[in-house]
Amino acid sequence: MAASKRSGEELVDEFMDTLEHPLKDAIVVVRRLILKVNKNITEHIKWNAPSFCINNEDRITFNLQGKGFFRLVFHTGAKAKQNTDIKPLIEDPTGLLEWVAADRAIIKLMNLNDDELKKDDLVKVVAKWVEVTG
């Protein structure tokens, strides 16, 4: 008998229930914050972490490998797109994004206080990324 197919949200909920990470509380807050930015954002598990999609294309993915921090990876899918521009994909007046390529950036969060301090800026960056890459 085939198992019933669970939604991405259900899979992420299960993942979060069993997640053991020193910054789990902050990760939960950031997950909720991202999901509230745009009603078209969906989620699933990618790279052994929650990942957020627009039109079924991954756009922002948690990297939970660190113990004293976690990262949000802003990307345009699994493979880099052909991009002849050398400038970043979006303007980031917040200074949160660390650019690793023109279409890939990272935000590193150290603790819940760090998250609280950056909450408004994080919402702005997520909204802009979703707008430009969606």
Side-chain angles (χ1 to χ4, degrees), residues 30-76:
V30 170
R31 176 189 176 209
R32 287 184 191 140
L33 184 136
I34 291 171
L35 289 170
K36 288 180 181 178
V37 167
N38 183 308
K39 65 181 174 74
N40 296 317
I41 294 176
T42 59
E43 62 182 341
H44 69 128
I45 299 295
K46 175 187 177 109
W47 302 337
N48 198 31
S51 185
F52 306 93
C53 303
I54 292 291
N55 301 321
N56 295 318
E57 299 241 0
D58 291 291
R59 293 296 176 243
I60 302 168
T61 305
F62 276 103
N63 175 316
L64 304 175
Q65 300 305 310
K67 291 297 178 197
F69 62 90
F70 63 93
R71 294 181 184 99
L72 289 173
V73 180
F74 290 71
H75 55 96
T76 56

Side-chain angles (χ1 to χ4, degrees), residues 1-43:
M1 178 179 277
S4 64
K5 188 169 180 173
R6 294 171 292 178
S7 72
E9 182 181 358
E10 290 169 330
L11 292 171
V12 175
D13 286 342
E14 288 175 20
F15 177 88
M16 293 301 294
D17 287 345
T18 61
L19 178 64
E20 292 184 22
H21 193 286
L23 299 175
K24 182 176 180 174
D25 290 345
I27 293 164
V28 168
V29 168
V30 170
R31 176 189 176 209
R32 287 184 191 140
L33 184 136
I34 291 171
L35 289 170
K36 288 180 181 178
V37 167
N38 183 308
K39 65 181 174 74
N40 296 317
I41 294 176
T42 59
E43 62 182 341

Side-chain angles (χ1 to χ4, degrees), residues 60-131:
I60 302 168
T61 305
F62 276 103
N63 175 316
L64 304 175
Q65 300 305 310
K67 291 297 178 197
F69 62 90
F70 63 93
R71 294 181 184 99
L72 289 173
V73 180
F74 290 71
H75 55 96
T76 56
K79 296 180 181 177
K81 305 292 186 229
Q82 287 284 45
N83 191 348
T84 57
D85 291 338
I86 55 172
K87 66 179 184 172
L89 191 58
I90 67 169
E91 262 189 57
D92 174 25
T94 70
L96 288 180
L97 293 173
E98 175 189 331
W99 292 96
V100 294
D103 64 350
R104 187 173 293 257
I106 295 169
I107 294 177
K108 185 176 180 179
L109 295 163
M110 306 295 280
N111 57 51
L112 192 55
N113 290 336
D114 198 25
D115 168 52
E116 291 298 322
L117 292 173
K118 296 176 180 176
K119 187 181 274 187
D120 290 342
D121 286 344
L122 186 57
V123 167
K124 289 175 191 171
V125 170
V126 168
K128 186 65 173 176
W129 191 263
V130 167
E131 174 191 330

